[in-house]
Amino acid sequence: MAKKRKSAIRKGRDAISTASSGSSDFVRIADGDAIDMVSLLDLEEMLSIDQHAIWLDGGNSPMFPCINKDCPGCDHGNQPRFRAFLPVVVLDSGESKIFSFGISIARALEELDEEFGGIAGHVFRVKRKGSGLATTYTVIALGRTRKIAKYEAIEVEEKLGPVTRKGILELLKETGALEDVDDYDEDDDEDDDEDDDDVGEEEEPKKKKKKKATKKKKKKKEEENDEEDWDDL
């Protein structure tokens, strides 16, 4: 019997304790700003992944879940980082958003979750200071609650990126990041579509694909970002 493949997406707060340190649907906090929001879920319902991010000089950097086996991000030597996604409502606008954050914010929210017995309906403030490696965040409970039944949460799972090797490679091609990924292969399915009439004909030896060298400038930038918690995205 084939072994069931482990999902790239986790559910629940247990992932926080085991973790290593663009879209308008997502909460964005600028340097020096603070945003008040109310959680639409408790942390037990929160989705999280180990996320790859391949940084490009021109922006449009692809991010996608680590799929473990045959993961293009792992093949490249890119280190995945813990990333959680919590549906919230931003109080200033009343809009439903997805609050995406790394392990440091996750642990701060975990403390609030323990204090309140669940954070759904509780209002909290997230303040940001700095950028890049110097970014710090503060999470503060405001001691208020909101009725959340009237709000519809954004579907998180469809925003996490492709969770198959084929889908990830397509994303890397679309964003122009393919040249930065070593050891990539086209899908083996293409061989299954060959015409059986060709059987018996002598085939030319297949040329091995050369690995495309990673540009030093981009590689250096990626190594610098490996030290970040990615909370400033």
Short mmCIF file of all heavy atoms in Angstrom, two decimals, residues 39-87:
data_model
loop_
_atom_site.label_atom_id
_atom_site.label_comp_id
_atom_site.label_asym_id
_atom_site.label_seq_id
_atom_site.Cartn_x
_atom_site.Cartn_y
_atom_site.Cartn_z
N SER A 39 -9.10 38.88 15.06
CA SER A 39 -8.94 37.55 14.47
C SER A 39 -10.30 36.90 14.25
O SER A 39 -11.18 36.95 15.12
CB SER A 39 -8.08 36.68 15.39
OG SER A 39 -8.00 35.36 14.88
N LEU A 40 -10.46 36.28 13.11
CA LEU A 40 -11.70 35.56 12.81
C LEU A 40 -11.62 34.09 13.21
O LEU A 40 -12.63 33.38 13.13
CB LEU A 40 -12.02 35.67 11.32
CG LEU A 40 -12.28 37.09 10.80
CD1 LEU A 40 -12.59 37.06 9.31
CD2 LEU A 40 -13.41 37.76 11.57
N LEU A 41 -10.43 33.63 13.62
CA LEU A 41 -10.25 32.24 14.01
C LEU A 41 -9.36 32.15 15.24
O LEU A 41 -8.56 33.05 15.51
CB LEU A 41 -9.59 31.42 12.88
CG LEU A 41 -10.31 31.26 11.55
CD1 LEU A 41 -9.42 30.50 10.58
CD2 LEU A 41 -11.63 30.54 11.73
N ASP A 42 -9.50 31.05 15.97
CA ASP A 42 -8.52 30.72 17.01
C ASP A 42 -7.31 30.09 16.34
O ASP A 42 -7.38 29.62 15.19
CB ASP A 42 -9.12 29.73 18.02
CG ASP A 42 -10.18 30.39 18.89
OD1 ASP A 42 -10.02 31.58 19.23
OD2 ASP A 42 -11.16 29.70 19.25
N LEU A 43 -6.20 30.04 17.05
CA LEU A 43 -4.98 29.50 16.46
C LEU A 43 -5.10 28.02 16.12
O LEU A 43 -4.35 27.51 15.29
CB LEU A 43 -3.79 29.71 17.40
CG LEU A 43 -3.35 31.16 17.61
CD1 LEU A 43 -2.01 31.20 18.33
CD2 LEU A 43 -3.26 31.93 16.31
N GLU A 44 -6.03 27.32 16.76
CA GLU A 44 -6.23 25.90 16.42
C GLU A 44 -6.70 25.73 14.98
O GLU A 44 -6.52 24.67 14.38
CB GLU A 44 -7.26 25.27 17.37
CG GLU A 44 -6.77 25.09 18.80
CD GLU A 44 -5.67 24.07 18.94
OE1 GLU A 44 -5.37 23.36 17.94
OE2 GLU A 44 -5.09 23.96 20.03
N GLU A 45 -7.31 26.76 14.43
CA GLU A 45 -7.81 26.71 13.06
C GLU A 45 -6.86 27.37 12.06
O GLU A 45 -7.13 27.39 10.86
CB GLU A 45 -9.18 27.39 12.98
CG GLU A 45 -10.24 26.76 13.87
CD GLU A 45 -10.51 25.32 13.48
OE1 GLU A 45 -10.66 25.05 12.28
OE2 GLU A 45 -10.57 24.46 14.38
N MET A 46 -5.77 27.90 12.54
CA MET A 46 -4.82 28.62 11.70
C MET A 46 -4.07 27.67 10.77
O MET A 46 -3.66 26.59 11.18
CB MET A 46 -3.81 29.37 12.59
CG MET A 46 -2.72 30.10 11.86
SD MET A 46 -1.49 30.74 13.04
CE MET A 46 -0.69 29.20 13.56
N LEU A 47 -3.85 28.10 9.53
CA LEU A 47 -3.06 27.33 8.59
C LEU A 47 -1.64 27.86 8.56
O LEU A 47 -1.41 29.07 8.65
CB LEU A 47 -3.65 27.39 7.18
CG LEU A 47 -5.05 26.82 6.99
CD1 LEU A 47 -5.44 26.87 5.51
CD2 LEU A 47 -5.14 25.39 7.51
N SER A 48 -0.67 26.95 8.43
CA SER A 48 0.73 27.37 8.33
C SER A 48 1.47 26.43 7.41
O SER A 48 1.06 25.29 7.18
CB SER A 48 1.39 27.39 9.71
OG SER A 48 1.44 26.09 10.28
N ILE A 49 2.58 26.91 6.87
CA ILE A 49 3.41 26.13 5.96
C ILE A 49 4.88 26.44 6.24
O ILE A 49 5.20 27.38 6.97
CB ILE A 49 3.12 26.47 4.47
CG1 ILE A 49 3.40 27.96 4.21
CG2 ILE A 49 1.71 26.09 4.08
CD1 ILE A 49 3.27 28.37 2.75
N ASP A 50 5.76 25.63 5.69
CA ASP A 50 7.15 26.01 5.55
C ASP A 50 7.26 26.59 4.15
O ASP A 50 7.01 25.90 3.16
CB ASP A 50 8.07 24.80 5.72
CG ASP A 50 8.10 24.33 7.16
OD1 ASP A 50 8.06 25.18 8.07
OD2 ASP A 50 8.17 23.11 7.40
N GLN A 51 7.64 27.85 4.06
CA GLN A 51 7.54 28.58 2.80
C GLN A 51 8.92 28.87 2.21
O GLN A 51 9.84 29.30 2.90
CB GLN A 51 6.80 29.90 3.03
CG GLN A 51 6.53 30.70 1.76
CD GLN A 51 5.84 32.01 2.06
OE1 GLN A 51 6.40 32.88 2.71
NE2 GLN A 51 4.60 32.14 1.60
N HIS A 52 9.03 28.64 0.91
CA HIS A 52 10.22 29.05 0.16
C HIS A 52 9.97 30.44 -0.43
O HIS A 52 8.86 30.75 -0.86
CB HIS A 52 10.49 28.09 -1.00
CG HIS A 52 11.06 26.77 -0.58
ND1 HIS A 52 12.34 26.63 -0.11
CD2 HIS A 52 10.50 25.53 -0.54
CE1 HIS A 52 12.57 25.35 0.17
NE2 HIS A 52 11.47 24.67 -0.07
N ALA A 53 11.01 31.26 -0.45
CA ALA A 53 10.96 32.56 -1.12
C ALA A 53 12.25 32.72 -1.90
O ALA A 53 13.33 32.62 -1.34
CB ALA A 53 10.79 33.69 -0.12
N ILE A 54 12.13 32.95 -3.20
CA ILE A 54 13.31 33.16 -4.05
C ILE A 54 13.32 34.63 -4.45
O ILE A 54 12.47 35.08 -5.21
CB ILE A 54 13.28 32.24 -5.28
CG1 ILE A 54 13.33 30.77 -4.81
CG2 ILE A 54 14.44 32.54 -6.21
CD1 ILE A 54 13.28 29.76 -5.93
N TRP A 55 14.27 35.35 -3.89
CA TRP A 55 14.28 36.80 -4.03
C TRP A 55 14.88 37.23 -5.36
O TRP A 55 15.98 36.82 -5.71
CB TRP A 55 15.06 37.42 -2.88
CG TRP A 55 14.56 36.98 -1.55
CD1 TRP A 55 15.07 35.97 -0.77
CD2 TRP A 55 13.43 37.47 -0.85
NE1 TRP A 55 14.33 35.82 0.37
CE2 TRP A 55 13.31 36.72 0.35
CE3 TRP A 55 12.49 38.46 -1.11
CZ2 TRP A 55 12.31 36.95 1.28
CZ3 TRP A 55 11.49 38.70 -0.18
CH2 TRP A 55 11.41 37.95 0.99
N LEU A 56 14.16 38.07 -6.08
CA LEU A 56 14.61 38.59 -7.36
C LEU A 56 14.85 40.10 -7.25
O LEU A 56 14.11 40.79 -6.54
CB LEU A 56 13.56 38.31 -8.45
CG LEU A 56 13.18 36.84 -8.64
CD1 LEU A 56 12.09 36.73 -9.70
CD2 LEU A 56 14.38 36.01 -9.03
N ASP A 57 15.85 40.58 -7.95
CA ASP A 57 16.18 42.00 -7.91
C ASP A 57 15.04 42.87 -8.42
O ASP A 57 14.81 43.97 -7.93
CB ASP A 57 17.45 42.28 -8.73
CG ASP A 57 18.69 41.70 -8.08
OD1 ASP A 57 18.68 41.53 -6.85
OD2 ASP A 57 19.67 41.41 -8.80
N GLY A 58 14.33 42.37 -9.41
CA GLY A 58 13.29 43.17 -10.02
C GLY A 58 11.92 43.01 -9.39
O GLY A 58 10.92 43.44 -9.95
N GLY A 59 11.85 42.39 -8.21
CA GLY A 59 10.55 42.15 -7.58
C GLY A 59 9.90 40.91 -8.14
O GLY A 59 10.53 40.09 -8.79
N ASN A 60 8.60 40.75 -7.88
CA ASN A 60 7.85 39.60 -8.37
C ASN A 60 8.46 38.29 -7.88
O ASN A 60 8.48 37.28 -8.59
CB ASN A 60 7.79 39.60 -9.90
CG ASN A 60 6.62 38.78 -10.43
OD1 ASN A 60 5.60 38.65 -9.76
ND2 ASN A 60 6.77 38.21 -11.62
N SER A 61 9.01 38.30 -6.67
CA SER A 61 9.68 37.13 -6.12
C SER A 61 8.67 36.03 -5.79
O SER A 61 7.73 36.28 -5.04
CB SER A 61 10.47 37.51 -4.87
OG SER A 61 11.44 38.49 -5.16
N PRO A 62 8.86 34.83 -6.33
CA PRO A 62 7.91 33.75 -6.09
C PRO A 62 8.04 33.18 -4.67
O PRO A 62 9.14 33.02 -4.15
CB PRO A 62 8.29 32.70 -7.14
CG PRO A 62 9.74 32.94 -7.37
CD PRO A 62 9.95 34.43 -7.24
N MET A 63 6.89 32.88 -4.07
CA MET A 63 6.84 32.23 -2.77
C MET A 63 5.89 31.05 -2.88
O MET A 63 4.83 31.16 -3.49
CB MET A 63 6.38 33.20 -1.69
CG MET A 63 7.30 34.38 -1.50
SD MET A 63 6.74 35.49 -0.20
CE MET A 63 7.95 36.82 -0.39
N PHE A 64 6.26 29.94 -2.26
CA PHE A 64 5.45 28.73 -2.39
C PHE A 64 5.77 27.78 -1.24
O PHE A 64 6.84 27.84 -0.63
CB PHE A 64 5.74 28.04 -3.74
CG PHE A 64 7.20 27.81 -4.02
CD1 PHE A 64 7.83 26.63 -3.63
CD2 PHE A 64 7.97 28.79 -4.64
CE1 PHE A 64 9.17 26.42 -3.87
CE2 PHE A 64 9.32 28.59 -4.89
CZ PHE A 64 9.93 27.41 -4.51
N PRO A 65 4.83 26.87 -0.91
CA PRO A 65 5.06 25.93 0.18
C PRO A 65 6.16 24.92 -0.15
O PRO A 65 6.34 24.54 -1.31
CB PRO A 65 3.71 25.21 0.32
CG PRO A 65 2.72 26.10 -0.33
CD PRO A 65 3.45 26.78 -1.44
N CYS A 66 6.89 24.51 0.86
CA CYS A 66 7.84 23.42 0.70
C CYS A 66 7.06 22.12 0.61
O CYS A 66 6.25 21.81 1.49
CB CYS A 66 8.80 23.39 1.88
SG CYS A 66 9.98 22.01 1.81
N ILE A 67 7.28 21.35 -0.45
CA ILE A 67 6.54 20.10 -0.63
C ILE A 67 7.39 18.89 -0.25
O ILE A 67 7.01 17.75 -0.52
CB ILE A 67 6.04 19.96 -2.08
CG1 ILE A 67 7.20 19.99 -3.08
CG2 ILE A 67 5.02 21.05 -2.39
CD1 ILE A 67 6.77 19.68 -4.51
N ASN A 68 8.55 19.16 0.36
CA ASN A 68 9.44 18.10 0.83
C ASN A 68 10.05 17.32 -0.33
O ASN A 68 11.02 17.76 -0.92
CB ASN A 68 8.72 17.20 1.82
CG ASN A 68 8.24 17.95 3.05
OD1 ASN A 68 9.01 18.65 3.70
ND2 ASN A 68 6.96 17.84 3.37
N LYS A 69 9.46 16.18 -0.70
CA LYS A 69 10.02 15.36 -1.75
C LYS A 69 9.91 16.06 -3.11
O LYS A 69 8.86 16.55 -3.48
CB LYS A 69 9.29 14.01 -1.81
CG LYS A 69 9.88 13.05 -2.84
CD LYS A 69 9.11 11.74 -2.84
CE LYS A 69 9.68 10.80 -3.89
NZ LYS A 69 8.92 9.52 -3.96
N ASP A 70 11.04 16.09 -3.85
CA ASP A 70 11.09 16.69 -5.19
C ASP A 70 10.72 18.17 -5.17
O ASP A 70 10.18 18.70 -6.15
CB ASP A 70 10.17 15.94 -6.16
CG ASP A 70 10.60 14.50 -6.36
OD1 ASP A 70 11.82 14.24 -6.33
OD2 ASP A 70 9.72 13.64 -6.54
N CYS A 71 11.00 18.86 -4.08
CA CYS A 71 10.66 20.28 -3.97
C CYS A 71 11.71 21.11 -4.72
O CYS A 71 12.90 21.04 -4.40
CB CYS A 71 10.61 20.69 -2.51
SG CYS A 71 10.27 22.46 -2.27
N PRO A 72 11.31 21.90 -5.72
CA PRO A 72 12.27 22.73 -6.45
C PRO A 72 13.02 23.71 -5.54
O PRO A 72 14.18 24.01 -5.78
CB PRO A 72 11.40 23.47 -7.46
CG PRO A 72 10.24 22.57 -7.68
CD PRO A 72 9.97 21.98 -6.33
N GLY A 73 12.34 24.22 -4.51
CA GLY A 73 13.00 25.12 -3.59
C GLY A 73 14.12 24.44 -2.83
O GLY A 73 15.22 25.00 -2.67
N CYS A 74 13.86 23.23 -2.35
CA CYS A 74 14.89 22.46 -1.64
C CYS A 74 16.01 22.05 -2.59
O CYS A 74 17.19 22.04 -2.21
CB CYS A 74 14.26 21.23 -0.99
SG CYS A 74 13.13 21.61 0.37
N ASP A 75 15.66 21.71 -3.83
CA ASP A 75 16.68 21.35 -4.82
C ASP A 75 17.65 22.50 -5.03
O ASP A 75 18.84 22.28 -5.29
CB ASP A 75 16.02 21.00 -6.17
CG ASP A 75 15.27 19.68 -6.12
OD1 ASP A 75 15.45 18.94 -5.13
OD2 ASP A 75 14.51 19.39 -7.06
N HIS A 76 17.14 23.70 -4.92
CA HIS A 76 17.95 24.90 -5.12
C HIS A 76 18.80 25.23 -3.89
O HIS A 76 19.72 26.05 -3.96
CB HIS A 76 17.02 26.07 -5.43
CG HIS A 76 17.72 27.37 -5.64
ND1 HIS A 76 18.79 27.52 -6.50
CD2 HIS A 76 17.51 28.60 -5.10
CE1 HIS A 76 19.20 28.78 -6.47
NE2 HIS A 76 18.45 29.44 -5.63
N GLY A 77 18.51 24.58 -2.76
CA GLY A 77 19.22 24.89 -1.53
C GLY A 77 18.61 26.07 -0.79
O GLY A 77 19.20 26.60 0.14
N ASN A 78 17.39 26.46 -1.19
CA ASN A 78 16.69 27.57 -0.55
C ASN A 78 16.06 27.07 0.75
O ASN A 78 15.39 26.05 0.77
CB ASN A 78 15.61 28.11 -1.49
CG ASN A 78 14.83 29.25 -0.89
OD1 ASN A 78 13.85 29.02 -0.20
ND2 ASN A 78 15.25 30.47 -1.15
N GLN A 79 16.30 27.78 1.83
CA GLN A 79 15.82 27.35 3.14
C GLN A 79 14.39 27.81 3.37
O GLN A 79 14.11 29.00 3.36
CB GLN A 79 16.70 27.92 4.25
CG GLN A 79 16.27 27.49 5.64
CD GLN A 79 17.13 28.11 6.73
OE1 GLN A 79 18.06 28.87 6.44
NE2 GLN A 79 16.84 27.80 7.97
N PRO A 80 13.44 26.87 3.60
CA PRO A 80 12.07 27.28 3.88
C PRO A 80 11.95 27.80 5.30
O PRO A 80 12.70 27.39 6.19
CB PRO A 80 11.27 25.98 3.69
CG PRO A 80 12.25 24.90 4.03
CD PRO A 80 13.59 25.39 3.57
N ARG A 81 11.01 28.69 5.50
CA ARG A 81 10.76 29.27 6.82
C ARG A 81 9.29 29.13 7.19
O ARG A 81 8.41 29.16 6.34
CB ARG A 81 11.16 30.75 6.84
CG ARG A 81 12.66 31.01 6.63
CD ARG A 81 13.48 30.46 7.77
NE ARG A 81 14.90 30.72 7.58
CZ ARG A 81 15.55 31.79 8.04
NH1 ARG A 81 14.89 32.72 8.70
NH2 ARG A 81 16.84 31.93 7.83
N PHE A 82 9.05 29.05 8.49
CA PHE A 82 7.69 28.97 9.01
C PHE A 82 6.89 30.20 8.58
O PHE A 82 7.37 31.33 8.70
CB PHE A 82 7.71 28.89 10.53
CG PHE A 82 6.35 28.93 11.19
CD1 PHE A 82 5.64 27.77 11.40
CD2 PHE A 82 5.81 30.14 11.59
CE1 PHE A 82 4.38 27.82 12.01
CE2 PHE A 82 4.57 30.21 12.19
CZ PHE A 82 3.85 29.02 12.41
N ARG A 83 5.68 29.97 8.11
CA ARG A 83 4.79 31.07 7.73
C ARG A 83 3.37 30.68 8.09
O ARG A 83 2.90 29.59 7.75
CB ARG A 83 4.88 31.35 6.23
CG ARG A 83 4.37 32.74 5.86
CD ARG A 83 5.44 33.76 6.15
NE ARG A 83 4.94 35.12 5.96
CZ ARG A 83 5.58 36.19 6.44
NH1 ARG A 83 6.68 36.04 7.14
NH2 ARG A 83 5.10 37.39 6.23
N ALA A 84 2.67 31.55 8.80
CA ALA A 84 1.30 31.30 9.21
C ALA A 84 0.37 32.30 8.54
O ALA A 84 0.79 33.40 8.15
CB ALA A 84 1.18 31.39 10.73
N PHE A 85 -0.90 31.93 8.44
CA PHE A 85 -1.89 32.74 7.72
C PHE A 85 -3.18 32.75 8.53
O PHE A 85 -3.83 31.72 8.69
CB PHE A 85 -2.13 32.17 6.33
CG PHE A 85 -0.88 32.07 5.50
CD1 PHE A 85 -0.05 30.97 5.61
CD2 PHE A 85 -0.52 33.09 4.63
CE1 PHE A 85 1.12 30.87 4.86
CE2 PHE A 85 0.64 33.01 3.88
CZ PHE A 85 1.46 31.90 3.99
N LEU A 86 -3.54 33.93 9.02
CA LEU A 86 -4.70 34.06 9.90
C LEU A 86 -5.71 35.02 9.29
O LEU A 86 -5.39 36.18 9.03
CB LEU A 86 -4.24 34.59 11.27
CG LEU A 86 -5.28 34.65 12.38
CD1 LEU A 86 -5.72 33.24 12.77
CD2 LEU A 86 -4.72 35.40 13.59
N PRO A 87 -6.95 34.58 9.06
CA PRO A 87 -7.98 35.49 8.57
C PRO A 87 -8.33 36.52 9.64
O PRO A 87 -8.59 36.16 10.80
CB PRO A 87 -9.17 34.56 8.28
CG PRO A 87 -8.58 33.20 8.16
CD PRO A 87 -7.42 33.19 9.11
#
